[in-house]
Amino acid sequence: MAEFSTSIKDQSGVSVVYLNGYLDAHTAPMLESNFSELISGGKFKIVVNFKDLVYISSAGLGVFMAFIEKIRENEGDIKLTTMNDKVYNIFDLLGFPLLYEIYKTEDDAIKKFVETDKLGK
Amino acid sequence: MGNKSKIKEKKLIVKGKTENLARIRTFIQSIASSVGFAQESIDNMILAVDEACTNIIKHAYKSYPEGEIIIKVKYEAKKLVITIIDYGKSFAPDSIPEPDIQEYYRQHKVGGLGIYLMRTLMDEVEYISIPGKYNQVLLSKSLTSTR
């Protein structure tokens, strides 16, 4: 049963990870290996698109917690985008908006990386 | 045309494996919608039950995936009562403080979020643990709950 899947594209040096389906304790390892691969490939600028994510539990949220520090130490970030209300409410209940930048659109999130890069130069 | 005021107790027994979480969610969805809960309430119940079962799988049955999780649901007096039983390692939920997300970030810690969610999403959460025998968590939500 394809209850969760991900796909990744590269845009302007930013890796966009698309989530699809149900992210729970069973499927969280799949996203963990996506993040591990990005990190070992030196890709620290990550946008996660939640458009097709139907469901998330704390095991799914935990994946973001597990990798964020390593990514920020390397001048990267995980920015989140296009969350439906149901998924956003869970993030909000746990105070995640304090820790992660959440954008309305994928373009906004990518732009933010590009702007930050320009400022750094 | 059925009488929705009371349903016979429904029961689901699954092994303590994460692959069964989807089945558990479907079970809760079908019962809660049959007695007339709004989808938002159902979503909250599904997440609370998922969190309870994930805790059982990850902690109580950590080294014993063949252990059984028994989920019983009854609807009485406009209240859905979900009882989840396992026979794994016992657990003291009162030792879990409310999470401070900034502190979690510093410590890379994620455990404890599930319990907090369960308490936030349900009307009542009650643990009974008889060490060496069984653990039981009771989750309830009334039809008129605003959560």
Side-chain angles (χ1 to χ4, degrees), chain A residues 61 83 87-98 102, chain B residues 116:
Chain A
L61 293 158
M83 262 178 210
V87 169
Y88 179 79
N89 284 340
I90 304 306
F91 270 85
D92 194 35
L93 268 180
L94 295 173
F96 273 62
L98 283 174
I102 302 175
Chain B
Y116 174 74

Side-chain angles (χ1 to χ4, degrees), chain B residues 6-57:
Chain B
K6 197 168 173 176
I7 53 164
K8 224 170 113 186
E9 186 176 86
K10 305 248 168 143
K11 191 151 112 180
L12 175 72
I13 302 177
V14 293
K15 300 263 190 238
K17 297 178 178 175
T18 54
E19 66 196 53
N20 288 322
L21 289 169
R23 209 173 135 200
I24 292 167
R25 292 194 296 263
T26 309
F27 175 68
I28 300 297
Q29 169 73 48
S30 110
I31 297 173
S33 59
S34 77
V35 294
F37 277 90
Q39 190 57 44
E40 203 181 329
S41 264
I42 299 175
D43 288 340
N44 289 347
M45 281 190 263
I46 287 175
L47 181 54
V49 172
D50 176 321
E51 297 292 344
C53 294
T54 298
N55 279 343
I56 292 170
I57 296 164

Side-chain angles (χ1 to χ4, degrees), chain A residues 65-119:
Chain A
M65 296 291 272
F67 290 92
I68 189 68
E69 201 171 53
K70 173 99 183 157
I71 286 169
R72 286 183 181 158
E73 274 168 8
N74 287 281
E75 282 157 23
D77 196 14
I78 302 176
K79 300 187 197 297
L80 316 176
T81 179
T82 337
M83 262 178 210
N84 69 36
D85 288 348
K86 180 177 145 188
V87 169
Y88 179 79
N89 284 340
I90 304 306
F91 270 85
D92 194 35
L93 268 180
L94 295 173
F96 273 62
L98 283 174
L99 295 179
Y100 298 88
E101 294 173 21
I102 302 175
Y103 294 91
K104 277 227 153 58
T105 71
E106 185 185 307
D107 277 351
D108 290 347
I110 294 172
K111 239 185 249 164
K112 185 72 193 196
F113 272 122
V114 176
E115 280 167 14
T116 313
D117 278 359
K118 276 185 192 154
L119 287 172

Side-chain angles (χ1 to χ4, degrees), chain A residues 22-100:
Chain A
Y22 293 75
L23 181 54
D24 65 5
H26 189 58
T27 57
M30 212 186 286
L31 184 58
E32 275 171 17
S33 49
N34 285 149
F35 282 148
S36 292
E37 277 166 31
L38 287 172
I39 288 172
S40 54
K43 294 186 169 158
F44 301 106
K45 296 186 172 82
I46 301 169
V47 168
V48 180
N49 188 323
F50 284 74
K51 185 169 74 75
D52 296 316
L53 191 78
V54 180
Y55 176 85
I56 191 163
S57 72
S58 71
L61 293 158
V63 180
F64 295 91
M65 296 291 272
F67 290 92
I68 189 68
E69 201 171 53
K70 173 99 183 157
I71 286 169
R72 286 183 181 158
E73 274 168 8
N74 287 281
E75 282 157 23
D77 196 14
I78 302 176
K79 300 187 197 297
L80 316 176
T81 179
T82 337
M83 262 178 210
N84 69 36
D85 288 348
K86 180 177 145 188
V87 169
Y88 179 79
N89 284 340
I90 304 306
F91 270 85
D92 194 35
L93 268 180
L94 295 173
F96 273 62
L98 283 174
L99 295 179
Y100 298 88

Side-chain angles (χ1 to χ4, degrees), chain A residues 65 69 94-95 98-99, chain B residues 97-111 113:
Chain A
M65 296 291 272
E69 201 171 53
L94 295 173
L98 283 174
L99 295 179
Chain B
E98 271 202 14
D100 171 344
I101 199 76
Q102 300 280 5
E103 194 52 37
Y104 271 49
Y105 175 77
R106 282 189 284 273
Q107 297 178 0
H108 303 210
K109 210 178 109 181
V110 287
L113 295 180

